[in-house]
Amino acid sequence: NLLWFNMSSAVADLSLWQSLDTELVSMVDYFSTLIRASHVPQEDSDHATSTSREKKAPGELLEVWAEKLVYSAYTALHITSQLKKGAMLSDFNSLIENVRTARESFNKEDGLVNNKMSTIKTEVHTLLGELESSYYSSKHRGALLPATGSDELNELTQLAAAYGEKAS
């Protein structure tokens, strides 16, 4: 779905760029025509004033070309605005893709960390079991410290110690 949007966006951008190119060419043409038509004779020119008046376009025609020039400029600005919006949206899509990629890599790393933590947990349980086994089977273990818990807990601790001594 994202690929289709990117392709349609590229086609739309291409047509906008072509429209902008057309508008800029027409602006230059209108401007050139306006300058040629509004030719002002130089004072030190050898030509007669009547000749220069004949080459000059009537005022209404100059206004029409000026309006066409302004309209082309307005259209070019509008197309440029659309291209900017498209660029921002395209950038937004790439940002979304970058966030998605980063999220996937973080999830993958999260899985790796969780696997390592579970491996460490298993190893700790195994080593703790071996340590407890070694401690309780040792002849050199010390006497149990007096418990500061409840009376029931103290009684259970003493029973466990007595059972441990009978087992060895």
Side-chain angles (χ1 to χ4, degrees), residues 9-153:
S9 175
V11 170
D13 285 350
L14 180 62
S15 68
L16 284 174
W17 279 108
Q18 290 171 345
S19 298
L20 181 63
D21 187 45
T22 304
E23 285 301 320
L24 291 176
V25 166
S26 67
M27 271 179 49
V28 170
D29 288 343
Y30 291 139
F31 185 73
S32 299
T33 305
L34 189 62
I35 294 298
R36 279 194 307 266
S38 65
H39 176 72
V40 178
Q42 296 179 1
E43 290 179 15
D44 59 347
S45 174
D46 293 339
H47 296 6
T49 356
S50 64
T51 311
S52 65
R53 283 185 192 153
E54 290 173 4
K55 290 182 181 177
K56 190 173 179 181
E60 297 84 25
L61 191 55
L62 292 176
E63 288 178 12
V64 169
W65 286 326
E67 286 177 15
K68 286 183 176 184
L69 175 67
V70 169
Y71 181 76
S72 287
Y74 173 77
T75 306
L77 285 174
H78 180 71
I79 292 171
T80 305
S81 162
Q82 287 179 333
L83 284 169
K84 285 181 181 179
K85 288 177 186 175
M88 285 190 297
L89 288 176
S90 295
D91 191 38
F92 185 69
N93 287 334
S94 68
L95 286 175
I96 289 174
E97 188 62 33
N98 289 342
V99 167
R100 184 177 295 131
T101 304
R103 184 182 299 154
E104 287 172 0
S105 71
F106 288 144
N107 287 339
K108 183 187 286 186
E109 287 183 27
D110 183 46
L112 292 173
V113 168
N114 285 339
N115 288 341
K116 286 181 182 180
M117 290 301 288
S118 92
T119 303
I120 290 172
K121 181 180 175 183
T122 304
E123 288 178 12
V124 166
H125 281 290
T126 303
L127 292 174
L128 184 60
E130 290 175 8
L131 181 63
E132 287 177 347
S133 170
S134 173
Y135 175 75
Y136 288 120
S137 65
S138 172
K139 295 179 191 179
H140 304 293
R141 70 175 181 186
L144 289 175
L145 297 175
T148 57
S150 67
D151 292 334
E152 291 176 357
L153 185 59

